[in-house]
């Protein structure tokens, strides 16, 4: 009887330890009044600072991902010739750049001849039922005619659901301009997410890939370094931006991109593991 009881206790202890170990590998979010998000995961260990990266606008794409760096007046982008979309687009939004006199009505979407064919064209989006969704928004480029024109290059564009583009995604863009006016300067990175388990969707004869989701990460240095991150589904369902709050670490797990590698290692690891909206 004693042996049987001892065996049962041993088996229960083994199962409990196994469950605990399994739970430690699961990405978890803790939200308090929709204002705070923290991430605990073993899939995104602390990353060492890459000493050859000094530009805050340069993000590190995963090894093997097509990555052509394009530098424009108002932003930098990593272009992926396989998806015909950017991997990421990054820009600095200052208080001065949050407003301006340049109008988007004078612009038109253009093919980017700096990338090889096949590439996205205006016709690929025609009758696709998707908007030509800006990553670096036209509203952040009103300060310069050249910057405004380059924001309409199709290497800064992804197929985006009309409802998302005109509503919640746009609301977050407006909020970022408000934060820039309040704090003086932000670094913003956004781009598409292609879910590994989703059936790939494309539009047009050039097969421009349709994202399943979009991310946006925001870094502010003053008065103290901090980040926020957001993930939106590429559909027309209501997605208030406050409810899409997550951490930069979470976006790194989904995309494989190492954000802000120019920051000191200790700072990067700390601020990318949390997102506290009340600090903004």
């Amino acid at each position: 009887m004693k042996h049987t009881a001892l065996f049962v206790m041993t088996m229960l202890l083994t199962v409990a330890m196994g469950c605990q170990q399994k739970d430690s590998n699961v990405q978890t979010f803790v939200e308090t009044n929709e204002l705070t998000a923290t991430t605990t995961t073993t899939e995104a260990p602390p990353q060492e600072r890459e000493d050859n990266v000094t530009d805050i606008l340069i993000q590190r794409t995963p090894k093997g991902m097509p990555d052509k760096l394009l530098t424009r007046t108002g932003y930098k982008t990593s272009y992926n010739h396989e998806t015909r979309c950017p991997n990421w687009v990054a820009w600095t939004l200052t208080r001065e750049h949050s407003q301006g006199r340049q109008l988007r009505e004078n612009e038109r979407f253009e093919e980017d001849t700096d990338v090889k064919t096949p590439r996205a064209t205006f016709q690929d989006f025609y009758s696709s039922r998707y908007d030509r969704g800006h990553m670096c928004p036209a509203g952040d480029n009103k300060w310069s005619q050249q910057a405004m024109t380059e924001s309409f290059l199709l290497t800064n564009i992804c197929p985006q659901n009309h409802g998302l583009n005109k509503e919640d995604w746009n609301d977050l863009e407006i909020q970022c301009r408000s934060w820039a006016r309040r704090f003086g300067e932000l670094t913003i990175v956004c781009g598409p997410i292609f879910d590994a388990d989703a059936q790939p969707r494309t539009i047009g004869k050039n097969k421009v890939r349709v994202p399943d989701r979009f991310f946006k990460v925001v870094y502010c240095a003053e008065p103290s370094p901090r980040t926020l991150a957001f993930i939106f589904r590429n559909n027309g369902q209501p997605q208030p931006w406050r409810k899409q709050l997550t951490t930069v670490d979470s976006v790194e797990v989904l995309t494989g991109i190492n954000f802000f590698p120019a920051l000191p290692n200790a700072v990067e690891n700390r601020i990318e593991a949390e997102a506290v909206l009340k600090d903004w």
Side-chain angles (χ1 to χ4, degrees), residues 83 85 130 159-160 193-194 200-203 208-212 234:
T83 63
C85 291
Y130 287 96
Q160 192 169 52
I193 297 174
F194 301 103
R201 295 173 293 162
T202 63
I203 60 171
V208 181
R209 185 85 178 268
V210 178
D212 299 293
N234 192 13

Side-chain angles (χ1 to χ4, degrees), residues 205-226:
K205 70 175 184 179
N206 291 301
K207 299 188 183 304
V208 181
R209 185 85 178 268
V210 178
D212 299 293
R213 292 182 279 178
F214 291 94
F215 70 84
K216 177 165 285 189
V217 300
V218 185
Y219 166 72
C220 186
E222 299 296 338
S224 60
R226 60 200 182 281

Side-chain angles (χ1 to χ4, degrees), residues 106-240:
N106 300 325
E107 304 296 337
R108 58 170 292 171
F109 292 96
E110 296 286 352
E111 238 179 290
D112 192 337
T113 57
D114 286 341
V115 299
K116 66 183 182 180
T117 57
R119 58 182 176 240
T121 67
F122 185 87
Q123 290 74 22
D124 287 321
F125 288 83
Y126 187 72
S127 297
S128 71
R129 297 188 297 177
Y130 287 96
D131 284 6
R132 300 166 186 88
H134 281 79
M135 296 296 96
C136 180
D140 289 4
N141 289 279
K142 293 181 177 180
W143 53 276
S144 162
Q145 181 61 62
Q146 183 69 16
M148 176 63 77
T149 297
E150 291 176 349
S151 76
F152 281 80
L153 290 170
L154 290 176
T155 46
N156 180 45
I157 303 298
C158 289
Q160 192 169 52
N161 178 275
H162 176 75
L164 175 61
N165 185 27
K166 298 301 182 184
E167 300 294 337
D168 299 310
W169 187 255
N170 181 58
D171 289 346
L172 182 55
E173 291 174 345
I174 294 171
Q175 183 61 51
C176 286
R177 288 192 279 275
S178 177
W179 284 327
R181 288 190 286 271
R182 179 181 179 184
F183 298 112
E185 181 175 306
L186 304 176
T187 301
I188 305 173
V189 189
C190 72
I193 297 174
F194 301 103
D195 292 337
D197 59 349
Q199 182 67 31
R201 295 173 293 162
T202 63
I203 60 171
K205 70 175 184 179
N206 291 301
K207 299 188 183 304
V208 181
R209 185 85 178 268
V210 178
D212 299 293
R213 292 182 279 178
F214 291 94
F215 70 84
K216 177 165 285 189
V217 300
V218 185
Y219 166 72
C220 186
E222 299 296 338
S224 60
R226 60 200 182 281
T227 61
L228 295 174
F230 305 87
I231 296 175
F232 294 83
R233 300 178 307 279
N234 192 13
N235 62 37
Q237 299 300 315
Q239 301 176 73

Side-chain angles (χ1 to χ4, degrees), residues 3-72:
H3 290 296
T4 301
L6 180 60
F7 175 76
V8 171
M9 291 178 62
T10 302
M11 290 299 294
L12 290 173
L13 180 60
T14 301
V15 170
M17 292 178 65
C19 291
Q20 183 177 6
Q21 182 178 7
K22 180 179 180 181
D23 289 343
S24 70
N25 291 325
V26 177
Q27 183 182 1
T28 59
F29 300 93
V30 179
E31 297 189 12
T32 303
N33 297 327
E34 301 172 4
L35 297 177
T36 303
T38 58
T39 303
T40 303
T41 176
T42 58
E43 297 180 65
Q47 295 165 316
E48 295 298 323
R49 182 172 66 85
E50 300 182 47
D51 292 327
N52 61 329
V53 178
T54 58
D55 186 345
I56 191 70
L57 295 184
I58 300 297
Q59 319 307 312
R60 281 297 188 210
T61 55
K63 184 177 181 181
M65 176 180 286
D67 174 22
K68 179 178 176 62
L69 183 64
L70 302 169
T71 300
R72 306 304 184 197

